[in-house]
Amino acid sequence: MKNWLKSGSPWVWLTAASVTVSLLALIGILLLLAGQGMRYFWPSPVYQFELEQPAAGPVTVIGELYQQQTISRRQLLESGVTPPGDAQRYTRYLIKVGNRESEGQDFRTLLASDVRRQTAPRDLLVLERNSSGTAYGYLAGLLEDGQPLTGRDLAQALQQRLPQIAALSRQAHDIQFRAMARINEQFAALSLREKRLLRDDRLDARAQASIKAERLELQRQYRLLAEKLSGLNRDRQRDALLLRDMHGQLHTIALSQVRDAWYPNAMSVGQKVTHWGDQVRKFLMDSPREANTEGGVFPAIVGTVLMVILMSMVVMPFGVIAAVYLHEYAGNNLLTRLIRIAVVNLAGVPSIVYGVFGLGFFVYLIGGTLDQLFYPESLPNPTFGTPGVLWAALTLALLTLPVVIVATEEGLSRIPATLRQGSLALGASRAETLWHIVLPMAAPAMMTGLILAVARAAGETAPLMLVGVVKSVPVLPVDDIFPYLHLERKFMHLGFQIYDMAFQSPSVEAARPLVFATAFLLVVIVIGLNLAAMGIRHSLRERYRAWSQ
């Protein structure tokens, strides 16, 4: 035993056990997030519960069985519910009833002892809507221009109409948020040009006539687009459906408000898998709705990836330059030691402090100065003197700078001094040695610093709340309007969206599956970015391995 302890084998096994536990914990987290999140997209069966309540008589409840738990009689009494009978344990159902406009809430609790009958009719319809959440009920009819549609299979006619309405909605969205937005941008640019000419005392009669002609042409184009949009909206609002709810009441729902419709109890396994894939695609490609409790996360994906890329483009050059100076040029004096101590201390500063600094320095000082120098016509409306994706990227670059400096300096210290001496002996200058020998061999360490920086930056939320991230944005920072990349715009972020859904949502239960799905997506994006950086690091390490031997 004593020889075994001296051999170092216990430390090898301890290290292996620690790595195994870490991997199992990571896999467990991924499985938990994926399992809780992906079930949101599966078409769960919808049940019709027939209740027998002494006070209210026969009652019908329609909805998804969201959760089932066993609770004690004491818990029911403490919550204000008098359970029937003398049993000490009861089964309680949490039912997602939808129909928020009539029910007032998305969920309802039932006691299993009150359920007289539970069925799953095949003709129960589920509607995914743009607003007011999910609707459950029976399809009672279709209306076209206010007239009932007869002589056709209603379910088949509904499935045929929905893609047509969706195509009209996409056209209306493109006109409103692309074509009209582009004209509004041109209007703003024209007004700024007019103010600039007036400030420079160059707004003569010829310039006024030119600006007036351009403004009239833009107004004409805008008017044509508005007429086309009005026609599309009329066509979208023409059709509607009649839905009979659990109380037997008929509700008229415009098809323009319906995003999807399905009969979950009549779907085969293949149809459910196809539906699940379509819902995942919508989650990845659509914008959020209903205070981020429904819809997709596409704007948050774009904002997260764009911010990380901008942050990487800023932090890598500055981090490498600082590390090269500290290791290759700076002497071992008091100033260098103070700089290293400052770098180590900066790595431990709370992230919210960086957010406050970014708001004061980047947004108010630098952004306000840029507005005064280059955009005085827009004042008092700020252009860069307001939180945006550029300032968020710079703030996170400052936050992750110590990580890149330390990792790069560690890589530089592992390069043998004989390589430097050999290069200098062959006649290369110090700068040539650094550029052609030292930096290529330290590239894997630089990529390690980038991996750590990306992992931290992608998950930060607190500083972003001060320097650019918002709950919802009308337009993305990247679009087809010149200059295509709008660094001054605010953006959405997956980390902030998780926080908003989990703590600021009006319906926490409804948003909980989306919280898990979004968290899983954020982890996948971070892993993907890290794997890409690790692949580059491995390639560089193999390329320069022979140099260090």
Side-chain angles (χ1 to χ4, degrees), residues 336-349:
T336 305
R337 289 195 294 270
L338 289 176
I339 292 176
R340 285 194 170 94
I341 293 174
V343 169
V344 174
N345 289 334
L346 283 175
V349 173

Side-chain angles (χ1 to χ4, degrees), residues 325 329-340:
Y325 170 76
Y329 291 97
N332 188 16
N333 50 41
L334 178 61
L335 178 61
T336 305
R337 289 195 294 270
L338 289 176
I339 292 176
R340 285 194 170 94

Side-chain angles (χ1 to χ4, degrees), residues 77-331:
L77 292 174
E78 290 177 350
S79 63
V81 177
T82 302
D86 299 327
Q88 297 301 314
R89 309 290 293 181
Y90 293 86
T91 300
R92 185 171 65 180
Y93 299 147
L94 180 63
I95 309 298
K96 184 178 180 181
V97 296
N99 300 46
R100 191 181 302 162
E101 70 278 11
S102 58
E103 299 299 320
Q105 55 186 359
D106 290 302
F107 294 89
R108 178 174 174 177
T109 58
L110 301 176
L111 291 178
S113 56
D114 290 336
V115 178
R116 181 166 54 89
R117 185 184 178 194
Q118 177 181 338
T119 58
R122 296 177 59 87
D123 56 344
L124 265 177
L125 178 65
V126 181
L127 298 179
E128 180 187 359
R129 299 182 291 178
N130 290 323
S131 59
S132 300
T134 309
Y136 302 97
Y138 295 94
L139 181 62
L142 288 176
L143 301 178
E144 183 175 355
D145 286 332
Q147 300 299 320
L149 188 65
T150 58
R152 297 182 60 181
D153 183 3
L154 295 180
Q156 183 179 2
L158 176 62
Q159 296 299 328
Q160 292 175 351
R161 295 295 177 94
L162 286 178
Q164 301 172 3
I165 300 297
L168 294 175
S169 299
R170 286 193 296 269
Q171 295 179 28
H173 181 274
D174 290 341
I175 291 176
Q176 185 174 1
F177 292 101
R178 289 189 178 181
M180 286 185 165
R182 187 179 295 110
I183 292 180
N184 287 330
E185 292 278 345
Q186 294 174 351
F187 268 122
L190 190 62
S191 299
L192 291 178
R193 192 176 76 183
E194 185 178 16
K195 292 181 180 179
R196 191 178 300 113
L197 292 174
L198 182 61
R199 183 195 61 187
D200 298 338
D201 199 18
R202 292 190 294 116
L203 190 62
D204 53 16
R206 182 176 180 180
Q208 290 180 359
S210 175
I211 291 175
K212 182 178 179 181
E214 292 184 34
R215 183 173 284 114
L216 289 175
E217 175 62 19
L218 291 176
Q219 290 174 351
R220 184 188 68 83
Q221 296 178 12
Y222 193 90
R223 185 167 55 253
L224 292 177
L225 289 174
E227 293 175 356
K228 185 176 181 180
L229 179 62
S230 177
L232 289 173
N233 288 331
R234 283 195 300 271
D235 293 339
R236 291 171 58 224
Q237 299 294 335
R238 184 182 59 183
D239 298 336
L241 63 84
L242 296 176
L243 185 73
R244 181 178 290 107
D245 65 6
M246 67 180 74
H247 307 297
Q249 299 177 353
L250 288 178
H251 299 270
T252 302
I253 303 175
L255 290 188
S256 59
Q257 291 295 318
V258 179
R259 301 184 66 87
D260 200 358
W262 63 93
Y263 294 90
N265 300 333
M267 296 172 70
S268 63
V269 176
Q271 291 173 330
K272 290 185 177 182
V273 172
T274 302
H275 177 86
W276 179 86
D278 189 55
Q279 291 295 316
V280 172
R281 179 190 60 80
K282 291 179 180 179
F283 173 71
L284 297 176
M285 301 303 297
D286 287 354
S287 298
R289 309 186 309 273
E290 295 291 293
N292 289 341
T293 59
E294 296 179 5
V297 293
F298 181 72
I301 295 175
V302 173
T304 303
V305 175
L306 176 63
M307 186 206 63
V308 170
I309 292 175
L310 291 175
M311 181 274 302
S312 303
M313 294 173 60
V314 174
V315 75
M316 282 303 293
F318 284 98
V320 171
I321 291 173
V324 168
Y325 170 76
L326 289 174
H327 191 272
E328 300 292 328
Y329 291 97

